[in-house]
């Protein structure tokens, strides 16, 4: 989590040699869980499968809450967002499903009546919105949604949806050479973490924590702890992904997603063995703490053509290229 730092060199695009290695690759891991977070900083949804889009998993961070200045609101300042439960129709996770006027996203939160947000309607455009380095327009989800979040947070708020008709939010070209875009993520379409990395961290903590502190899209299992640091090119099932940068973690990881209370962990413990000073002693951002890796989907790869662009729990993970140490990965 956190805004992306600048001045780094991304791993090179897929080469013929690395593509040829796919057939010989041995699955070293598999997908254990898949998560999306339809509204930025609100609760996630665990899925057995999710359609792939160049901007990320379908529906992921397509909405966000903004304050009266149009700035994106996150748990960093409003931890109560952790309690906002998001429900989408079951059919929304079919690859080619399109919503009708009777298709809704339903929001629930303590002390609030459920809010229904239509997934297919004409929107008014809200201008002057921003999240991290990006600014532009978004679709306003209307007065009822604004009032709901304003009442819940106790201050003027607005629910907006990414304006796919006119906006493109490009991934930082300092990290990704080819053109990739995303919606309201912190900067990259995908975040991958291994269960073994979480297990290793929990061995250092007095009170174990859940993966929801880190808000990944893809949780894998069956590899060595923190081996995902080294993956510069992988395949999940038949889809190619490129490692973009190690994920620097922020205050949100310290917020208990069940209580909304912030503490000092896990950042305090992670800093002892996962800081830039420790794992990237000759690099920049020595004070940053890293956990997980940001990815982009190589959607121009020939294996991504046609139908069936769906990521599934149980898909094997093939490591096609890797570096020898985290110091060699962008961060």
């Amino acid at each position: 989590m956190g805004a992306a730092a600048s001045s780094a060199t991304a791993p090179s695009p897929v080469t013929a040699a690395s593509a040829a290695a796919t057939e010989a690759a041995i699955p070293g891991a598999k997908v254990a869980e898949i998560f999306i977070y339809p509204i930025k900083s609100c609760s996630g949804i665990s899925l057995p499968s999710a359609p792939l889009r160049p901007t990320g998993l379908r529906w992921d961070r397509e909405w966000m809450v903004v304050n009266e200045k149009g700035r994106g609101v996150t748990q960093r300042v409003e931890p109560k967002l952790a309690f906002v439960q998001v429900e989408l129709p079951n059919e929304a996770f079919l690859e080619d499903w399109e919503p009708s006027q009777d298709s809704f996203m339903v929001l629930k939160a303590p002390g609030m009546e459920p809010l229904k947000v239509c997934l297919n309607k004409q929107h008014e455009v809200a201008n002057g919105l921003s999240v991290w380095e990006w600014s532009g327009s978004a679709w306003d989800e209307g007065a009822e949604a604004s009032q709901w979040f304003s009442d819940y947070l106790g201050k003027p708020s607005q629910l907006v949806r990414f304006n796919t008709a006119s906006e493109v939010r490009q991934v930082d070209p300092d990290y990704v050479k080819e053109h990739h875009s995303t919606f309201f993520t912190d900067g990259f379409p995908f975040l991958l973490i291994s269960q073994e990395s979480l297990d290793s961290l929990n061995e250092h903590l007095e009170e174990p924590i859940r993966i929801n502190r880190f808000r990944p899209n893809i949780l894998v299992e069956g590899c060595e702890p923190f081996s995902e640091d080294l993956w510069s090119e992988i395949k999940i099932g038949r889809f190619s992904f490129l490692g973009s940068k190690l994920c620097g973690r922020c205050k949100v990881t310290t917020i208990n997603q069940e209580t909304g209370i912030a503490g000092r962990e896990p950042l305090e413990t992670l800093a002892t063995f996962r800081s830039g000073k420790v794992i990237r002693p000759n690099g920049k951002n020595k004070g940053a703490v890293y956990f997980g890796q940001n990815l982009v989907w190589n959607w121009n790869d020939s294996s991504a053509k046609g139908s069936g662009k769906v990521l599934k729990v149980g898909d094997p993970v093939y490591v096609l290229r890797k570096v020898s140490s985290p110091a060699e990965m962008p961060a």
Side-chain angles (χ1 to χ4, degrees), residues 119-257:
L119 295 175
N120 181 9
K121 70 174 185 179
Q122 291 292 114
H123 294 83
E124 296 291 333
V125 174
N127 294 303
L129 307 180
S130 62
V131 56
W132 294 116
E133 81 302 333
W134 176 88
S135 61
S137 71
W139 289 322
D140 181 2
E141 286 293 2
E144 184 180 3
S146 293
Q147 191 63 54
W148 194 89
F149 274 101
S150 297
D151 291 343
Y152 179 62
L153 297 177
K155 59 189 69 173
S157 305
Q158 184 180 10
L159 180 65
V160 298
R161 186 176 186 178
F162 195 87
N163 185 353
T164 55
S166 66
E167 300 292 340
V168 175
R169 185 178 174 219
Q170 187 174 353
V171 172
D172 191 337
D174 286 334
Y175 291 96
V176 180
K177 291 181 179 179
E178 296 182 346
H179 181 84
H180 290 272
S181 60
T182 187
F183 288 161
F184 292 133
T185 67
D186 274 2
F188 294 83
F190 303 92
L191 173 61
L192 179 146
I193 297 174
S194 72
Q195 179 65 46
E196 286 75 13
S197 297
L198 179 64
D199 293 344
S200 178
L201 168 60
N202 279 332
E203 289 175 1
H204 292 80
L205 298 175
E206 291 185 9
E207 296 184 11
I209 62 174
R210 297 172 56 195
I211 195 63
N212 62 5
R213 293 283 191 102
F214 297 101
R215 303 175 70 79
N217 298 111
I218 305 167
L219 181 71
V220 300
E221 62 181 7
C223 58
E224 293 297 314
F226 307 108
S227 58
E228 63 268 29
D229 290 352
L230 311 179
W231 299 346
S232 56
E233 180 188 342
I234 65 174
K235 277 209 169 185
I236 302 177
R238 65 182 176 90
F239 304 108
S240 173
F241 293 83
L242 302 178
S244 302
K245 70 180 290 287
L246 302 183
C247 185
R249 309 316 306 225
C250 73
K251 176 185 175 182
V252 171
T253 63
T254 70
I255 299 171
N256 186 314
Q257 297 296 290

Side-chain angles (χ1 to χ4, degrees), residues 63-77:
W63 290 264
M64 72 173 176
V65 181
V66 299
N67 61 22
E68 59 185 340
K69 295 181 179 179
R71 183 73 179 170
V73 175
T74 73
Q75 289 184 36
R76 295 168 181 82
V77 295

Side-chain angles (χ1 to χ4, degrees), residues 11-147:
S12 59
V14 177
T15 64
S18 64
T22 305
E23 298 301 324
I26 298 174
K30 66 179 181 180
V31 176
E33 289 193 75
I34 295 170
F35 302 95
I36 64 167
Y37 311 87
I39 303 177
K40 184 177 181 66
S41 245
C42 294
S43 68
I45 301 174
S46 178
L47 298 170
S49 63
L52 280 168
R53 298 288 189 269
T55 51
L57 297 176
R58 189 176 188 187
W59 309 113
D60 190 48
R61 276 89 165 194
E62 194 165 331
W63 290 264
M64 72 173 176
V65 181
V66 299
N67 61 22
E68 59 185 340
K69 295 181 179 179
R71 183 73 179 170
V73 175
T74 73
Q75 289 184 36
R76 295 168 181 82
V77 295
E78 294 293 347
K80 287 177 62 177
L81 288 174
F83 303 145
V84 177
Q85 301 293 317
V86 183
E87 299 175 0
L88 287 167
N90 290 334
E91 57 270 24
F93 307 110
L94 301 175
E95 183 180 9
D96 297 320
W97 180 78
E98 293 298 331
S100 70
Q101 295 292 330
D102 298 319
S103 304
F104 296 93
M105 175 172 67
V106 179
L107 310 184
K108 299 177 181 179
M112 302 293 294
E113 292 295 320
L115 173 69
K116 295 175 68 174
V117 178
C118 184
L119 295 175
N120 181 9
K121 70 174 185 179
Q122 291 292 114
H123 294 83
E124 296 291 333
V125 174
N127 294 303
L129 307 180
S130 62
V131 56
W132 294 116
E133 81 302 333
W134 176 88
S135 61
S137 71
W139 289 322
D140 181 2
E141 286 293 2
E144 184 180 3
S146 293
Q147 191 63 54

Side-chain angles (χ1 to χ4, degrees), residues 276-291:
K277 184 177 181 180
V278 175
I279 68 173
R280 298 172 49 79
N282 298 319
K284 297 181 179 180
N285 305 318
K286 288 184 174 60
V289 172
Y290 298 102
F291 195 84

